[in-house]
Amino acid sequence: MKTITNISLLLLLLLGVQPVAAQVKVEGRLSATTIPVGDQTQLKLTVTAKPGTAVVFPAYKSQQQMVEGVEVVEMSNDSTTEADGMSVTWRSYTLTAWDGKKYNLPQLKVKVAGKDYFTNSIPLTVTEEAVDSLSSAQMRPQRDILDNPYMWSEWSPLFWLSILALLCGAACYYLYLRLRGNKPVISRIRFVKKQLPHQKAMQEIEQIKTAAAQGTEDQKVYFTRLTDALRQYLEDRFDISAKEMTSSEIIFRLQKEEDQQKIDELRQVFETADLVKFAKYSTGDSEKEHYMTQVVEFIQTTKIEKEAVVEKIKDELTDEQKRGNRSRMTVKVAATVLLVASLALIVYIAVSAWQLIG
């Protein structure tokens, strides 16, 4: 009696489970079971179950192999329809193969309401077609693998904006360099005749004579200007660093090129000038004129007459222009605007490019 009761309970349990299991149907189907090499076929997995049942299909990445030799080109999103009180959910996989042979697609696991179900194993035949080398029509591939995802019309605005950003950045840097060097924004170049060393020296000496005649300078300034003019002449004429050399170094250097009498006269000029500048030595007007005459005679006897060359001179800001805050402020504002515009364009280009690539 007890055995009959257990059998009855087992039958009732099986009868209760069978309808639930029968409500789930999982199957896989190929759109074409025979394809040429490189062609594609669609594998469609379908799950029939109660509405609202959770279905999880197997996922594959692009170019991932489902079985050795058969790769997944792409995978579609899940789709669901309802009919006759049942829900039908499916997902498609685009497959291709590059070797002519017979494949056997494996049973794929589909999770339905947390339980594992497996599809049927499906055979796939890939055939190799003979290529007619005499026919050009047979030489092109049967299907394009991928079209170019980008077009010039999409990238051309970003290209021209990049050029504009570079130009704005270059203009900003140029204005920065002009401001830092106290130079005009628009640099002009003038070509003038270059003065010869003796011409430049005599021009400075004439200015010293004028100042001495007016009595506007003391003798320390007088001898300082006189020896500076002489040093500049020696540097230009004999190609020595007279401005950085001491008086004795200059005399020693000139002994190789000039006679002793001229050297002795220059020594007297430098020694007297050093005494006036550093030892508070005082000279009379006649003595100042004497030393001036010695310098002029030295310049006239050692000068070299030659044709003046053309010198290129760049425009520089005057002291008044350097102190002009308004013009400098205008240039600073322009440089700032160009910098902000360049940075804004770079950010916009980067974001737009990221959106196109993504």
Side-chain angles (χ1 to χ4, degrees), residues 38 97 166 176 212 214-215 220 226 232 298 302 309 317 353:
L166 290 176
Y176 166 74
Q214 295 175 351
K220 182 177 180 180
L226 180 62
Q232 183 65 56
F298 179 82
T302 58
V309 298
L317 286 177

Side-chain angles (χ1 to χ4, degrees), residues 7-278:
I7 294 173
S8 300
L9 291 175
L10 180 61
L11 289 175
L12 291 174
L13 181 61
L14 291 176
L15 289 175
V17 172
Q18 183 177 1
V20 176
Q23 291 175 355
V24 177
K25 182 180 180 182
V26 178
E27 63 177 340
R29 181 176 299 177
L30 285 173
S31 59
T33 57
T34 302
I35 59 172
V37 169
D39 206 347
Q40 298 176 354
T41 183
Q42 302 289 330
L43 171 62
K44 185 176 182 181
L45 301 186
T46 305
V47 175
T48 304
K50 287 184 176 182
T53 303
V55 178
V56 179
F57 291 102
Y60 291 90
K61 297 180 180 179
S62 178
Q63 298 183 350
Q64 181 180 353
Q65 292 191 354
M66 181 174 289
V67 67
E68 185 176 359
V70 179
E71 66 180 43
V72 178
V73 178
E74 60 180 355
M75 180 179 65
S76 69
N77 296 325
D78 297 348
S79 299
T80 303
T81 60
E82 294 185 8
D84 299 330
M86 299 297 290
S87 174
V88 180
T89 305
W90 69 89
R91 177 183 289 183
S92 296
Y93 304 83
T94 302
L95 308 179
T96 189
W98 303 98
D99 293 323
K101 59 185 293 186
K102 291 184 178 181
Y103 299 92
N104 193 36
L105 300 184
Q107 293 180 322
L108 300 180
K109 182 174 68 174
V110 181
K111 190 175 290 291
V112 182
K115 294 182 63 177
D116 293 338
Y117 293 84
F118 292 89
T119 64
N120 49 309
S121 178
I122 306 174
L124 172 63
T125 303
V126 180
T127 61
E128 294 183 353
E129 295 184 353
V131 178
D132 185 2
S133 60
L134 300 179
S135 175
S136 60
Q138 298 288 334
M139 299 303 294
R140 63 176 183 267
Q142 295 181 355
R143 184 188 298 271
D144 291 336
I145 298 176
L146 282 176
D147 293 331
N148 187 0
Y150 306 116
M151 298 186 352
W152 170 245
S153 59
E154 296 175 330
W155 287 95
S156 59
L158 300 183
F159 172 78
W160 294 115
L161 287 176
S162 301
I163 299 297
L164 180 59
L166 290 176
L167 291 176
C168 289
C172 176
Y173 185 66
Y174 173 79
L175 293 178
Y176 166 74
L177 292 179
R178 306 307 287 184
L179 283 172
R180 188 180 65 176
N182 284 326
K183 296 180 180 179
V185 176
I186 300 177
S187 180
R188 298 176 183 176
I189 299 177
R190 295 180 292 113
F191 293 91
V192 297
K193 287 186 177 181
K194 185 178 180 180
Q195 286 184 314
L196 297 176
H198 71 278
Q199 293 173 340
K200 188 187 301 184
M202 292 306 300
Q203 183 178 352
E204 178 64 22
I205 288 175
E206 289 299 325
Q207 295 178 2
I208 297 173
K209 288 181 178 181
T210 301
Q214 295 175 351
T216 57
E217 295 178 343
D218 59 19
Q219 57 181 344
K220 182 177 180 180
V221 176
Y222 175 88
F223 278 100
T224 300
R225 294 186 62 185
L226 180 62
T227 53
D228 286 346
L230 179 58
R231 288 175 182 272
Q232 183 65 56
Y233 172 74
L234 294 174
E235 189 165 308
D236 296 338
R237 166 64 178 81
F238 296 97
D239 194 23
I240 61 176
S241 302
K243 291 181 179 180
E244 287 77 26
M245 298 168 67
T246 63
S247 302
S248 58
E249 290 174 340
I250 295 175
I251 297 301
F252 177 78
R253 174 66 176 79
L254 293 177
Q255 284 178 344
K256 302 177 182 179
E257 303 188 25
E258 299 299 329
D259 59 55
Q260 190 61 40
Q261 182 180 356
K262 294 179 182 179
I263 298 303
D264 291 340
E265 292 175 353
L266 283 186
R267 182 183 289 110
Q268 292 177 3
V269 174
F270 280 120
E271 289 177 351
T272 303
D274 290 340
L275 289 173
V276 172
K277 289 188 291 183
F278 304 112

